[in-house]
Amino acid sequence: MPNRAETRSAKPAQRFPPWLRKRVHTGEAAARVSSLLAELGLETVCTRAHCPNLPECFARGTATFLILGNSCTRSCRFCAIPTSPPGPLRDEEPEAVAEACDKLGLRHVVITSVTRDDLTDGGAAHFAKTIHAVRLRMPKTVIEVLTPDFLGRAASLDIVLDAGPDIFNHNVETVPRLYTQVRPEADYRRSLDVLAHAKRRAERDAASLHTKSGLMVGLGETADEVGAVLRDLRGAGCDIVTIGQYLAPSAAHVPVARFVEPPEFEAWEAEARALGFAAVAAGPFVRSSYHADSLFESRRE
Amino acid sequence: MPVIDVPLPELGEEAPGEARVAFWYVDVGEELKRGDDLVQMLTDKATFDVPSPAAGKVVELVADEDQAVKVGEVLCRLQVEG
């Protein structure tokens, strides 16, 4: 069918380059995921972050669960989740996540959360309960957690790590120079330390934990700065890395500085592989949990 | 021959999610196959091409270009094979 865009007058400006175009996936699978989540009272970061991959992932029967509430104690300027005092934890949430995994038949689940600096353990025990609930019900499912930095507290991190996730993901999100504009309450070095701590413990215990991190590009970083972050992550023992285009959730968020072209993502992917990451995903629509299952399966041991 | 509504599918925007019509790929009277592109929608995060859910003929474009449409609201109507 011809594209008539150019034949009509008064078209709204196309704000996105052609490589930021998605196809909507319609159908029953996506509706089933939405209704199951509503029925179990579960949140997903897919919905909360306005993820452009949502139609595709829901149609594949997968979603990334967002636990510990739907508002956050931090005010990162890239993120659509509102900053406000979060409510109390839902005791039934761990079991609800496990039930959703079961009903969706997930072989790989990603569990993430808002940041809960208001809780002494940062919500670590709730993370651990969720991991245990999924493990009990779905012993063969790969469990990936994408956690906050827990203010760098080793005791909180250890609660999560003791629950035995298969993949521990903590995103550095951007290059250190942009932290004050993008993640004002976070600390680049602390995030690296979180990843290094997880790796050291796994090595000490001969556990088969894989560590993972990700960053957004298009926020104003330079190629050299991205390279430096990749080297820092390898220095922290990080096994898996994701690199994707930042897209602003609204005009009130940090604006997109630039749309990174696909060949640049390919170059970063090659650079990351050369640095020794076991698995790398880089591309305009890559997100921390995007195709997390196949990315994990693609790893080099 | 029955006429069906084609609603805006979920695009990942927060409920009540909405998107803006960028432009229509089709005109009234046009015959479509299932999966042909109907309309391009814009959100804060990307552009989305919405495919036709069925084969049929376009009888009405309900949403105008540049109009905001909520998830579940009707984009257009198609006359389909009974």
Side-chain angles (χ1 to χ4, degrees):
Chain A
M1 193 185 311
N3 180 334
R4 307 241 175 107
E6 59 284 344
T7 66
R8 297 193 180 201
S9 58
K11 292 294 170 300
Q14 173 109 8
R15 292 183 301 158
F16 297 102
W19 61 85
L20 284 172
R21 187 161 154 190
K22 293 288 278 190
R23 193 162 173 76
V24 174
H25 293 246
T26 53
E28 288 167 20
R32 194 168 64 98
V33 172
S34 296
S35 65
L36 178 66
L37 294 168
E39 178 192 320
L40 293 172
L42 290 170
E43 297 281 356
T44 65
V45 73
C46 324
T47 302
R48 288 286 163 184
H50 309 183
C51 183
N53 300 324
L54 182 147
E56 177 188 348
C57 293
F58 278 25
R60 290 175 79 227
T62 188
T64 294
F65 300 103
L66 181 74
I67 62 170
L68 296 169
N70 57 21
S71 60
C72 188
T73 52
R74 294 196 192 170
S75 55
C76 298
R77 300 264 336 278
F78 65 89
C79 180
I81 296 173
T83 305
S84 64
L89 299 181
R90 289 176 57 224
D91 290 337
E92 65 278 20
E93 190 168 62
E95 193 51 45
V97 171
E99 188 176 344
C101 291
D102 193 353
K103 288 190 167 159
L104 293 170
L106 296 184
R107 292 168 49 238
H108 186 123
V109 58
V110 186
I111 302 161
T112 190
S113 75
V114 294
T115 297
R116 294 294 303 255
D117 291 335
D118 58 318
L119 302 173
T120 312
D121 73 348
H126 197 80
F127 253 108
K129 280 182 201 162
T130 308
I131 294 167
H132 287 310
V134 173
R135 189 68 85 203
L136 191 65
R137 195 153 167 157
M138 306 285 286
K140 290 183 176 163
T141 292
V142 174
I143 300 178
E144 174 170 339
V145 291
L146 167 60
T147 77
D149 63 18
F150 297 108
L151 295 168
R153 288 175 184 154
S156 301
L157 280 167
D158 289 347
I159 291 170
V160 177
L161 295 166
D162 284 342
D166 299 292
I167 303 167
F168 177 84
N169 186 350
H170 173 66
N171 286 330
V172 291
E173 309 287 10
T174 184
V175 302
R177 178 175 58 82
L178 297 176
Y179 263 51
T180 46
Q181 288 135 270
V182 176
R183 297 184 80 194
E185 297 109 324
D187 181 285
Y188 177 69
R189 182 52 54 185
R190 183 166 72 197
S191 282
L192 288 177
D193 287 346
V194 163
L195 288 160
H197 178 83
K199 196 65 190 176
R200 270 197 309 274
R201 261 184 50 107
E203 283 169 355
R204 185 198 71 194
D205 300 343
S208 67
L209 179 78
H210 295 79
T211 55
K212 178 173 172 180
S213 190
L215 71 158
M216 304 170 289
V217 290
L219 281 158
E221 68 293 319
T222 66
D224 284 350
E225 287 176 313
V226 173
V229 169
L230 292 175
R231 287 190 294 278
D232 285 346
L233 288 173
R234 279 304 294 147
C238 183
D239 302 305
I240 303 171
V241 69
T242 60
I243 307 173
Q245 171 70 51
Y246 167 66
L247 295 168
S250 82
H253 290 83
V254 184
V256 173
R258 151 178 110 90
F259 292 116
V260 176
E261 300 196 15
E264 284 181 76
F265 284 107
E266 287 164 22
W268 280 325
E269 181 161 341
E271 186 174 341
R273 287 191 194 285
L275 286 168
F277 285 96
V280 182
F285 281 115
V286 168
R287 299 291 177 268
S288 192
S289 314
Y290 186 52
H291 291 198
D293 49 355
S294 46
L295 178 60
F296 184 59
E297 282 160 16
S298 77
R299 74 194 183 278
R300 299 175 297 191
E301 287 295 355
Chain B
M1 291 211 290
V3 173
I4 61 164
D5 289 343
V6 179
L8 177 63
E10 193 166 357
L11 298 174
E13 297 293 291
E14 218 172 349
E18 69 175 35
R20 205 155 46 80
V21 177
F23 59 85
W24 284 97
Y25 287 110
V26 298
D27 279 322
V28 170
E30 199 162 315
E31 300 274 355
L32 298 173
K33 297 192 297 295
R34 180 166 183 264
D36 282 349
D37 285 333
L38 281 177
V39 63
Q40 185 168 107
M41 303 298 296
L42 268 174
T43 74
D44 288 330
K45 288 281 179 103
T47 55
F48 292 88
D49 289 327
V50 179
S52 178
K57 188 165 87 171
V58 181
V59 293
E60 186 185 358
L61 302 183
V62 178
D64 287 331
E65 293 184 355
D66 214 25
Q67 183 183 325
V69 181
K70 289 191 167 54
V71 170
E73 286 182 350
V74 178
L75 288 166
C76 69
R77 296 200 167 88
L78 294 180
Q79 191 174 60
V80 297
E81 295 292 328

